[in-house]
Every structure is written in C-alpha cells, then in structure tokens.
Amino acid sequence: MHTAIVLVKTDVARIREVAETIAALDGVSEVYSITGKYDLIAMIRVHRHEEFNDVIPGRLNKVPGILETETHIAFETYSKHDLEAAFSLGLPDAD
C-alpha cells in the first residue's frame, strides 16, 4: 500500500462541501479539517504508485472550491494503527 498526504487550501465558505467531496473519492481513506495555512488534509492510499496520478491530479485537484494543494508521498509507515491492521488475523482482542 502506498500513502500520500495532501494538504488542501479551500474557499473558506466551502470547506465542508470540499471535504465531503474529497472523502467520497476512490483512493481517499480519510479527510481531516485542520488549522494553519491549509484547511484540510486528505490521506490517499493506493495499491500501485502509478494510481496517485489518477487520484490526485486526476480527481482530487479538480474538486470545485480547491484553491491550492501540496502533496507529500510517504516512504514508510510507523503508525501503530496501520501496523496492527497489517498484522491482524481477524481475531477478537484478548482485552
């Protein structure tokens, strides 16, 4: 699995609309509203690196209301959540 983090600046009056539209796109796993220079962060997860082209410039960047994006490609994942999912056997927690 390949991951990209896309920082999104939107028209302030359309943040919710843009976030919901981005979240509905294939390849987008999560969208967060944030503080700072950008308004949203979109987490993109694809099976093949080449799929980023379809998701990011192909669909995400064309969403009406987006003013600017900045994309970061992840090299490795260190998240406990992602590691647990990758190694999960589907067994219930022992807790």
Side-chain angles (χ1 to χ4, degrees):
M1 185 67 61
H2 300 278
T3 303
I5 299 95
V6 181
L7 304 171
V8 181
K9 183 180 275 191
T10 69
D11 174 343
V12 176
R14 300 178 75 180
I15 292 173
R16 180 178 295 277
E17 172 191 346
V18 171
E20 290 173 353
T21 301
I22 292 171
L25 297 175
D26 287 339
V28 176
S29 63
E30 302 127 80
V31 177
Y32 300 96
S33 61
I34 59 170
T35 61
K37 178 181 176 184
Y38 292 93
D39 302 300
L40 303 169
I41 292 179
M43 301 300 294
I44 313 302
R45 300 186 199 279
V46 296
H47 293 287
R48 294 180 309 118
H49 188 268
E50 296 78 19
E51 293 176 75
F52 284 136
N53 188 52
D54 294 331
V55 178
I56 301 167
R59 292 190 297 263
L60 188 146
N61 286 352
K62 294 178 181 176
V63 171
I66 290 180
L67 304 176
E68 178 183 337
T69 63
E70 181 175 303
T71 300
H72 299 267
I73 305 295
F75 293 126
E76 289 190 54
T77 300
Y78 299 98
S79 164
K80 180 179 176 183
H81 169 77
D82 289 339
L83 294 173
E84 286 176 353
F87 292 105
S88 171
L89 297 175
L91 302 174
D93 289 338
D95 296 3

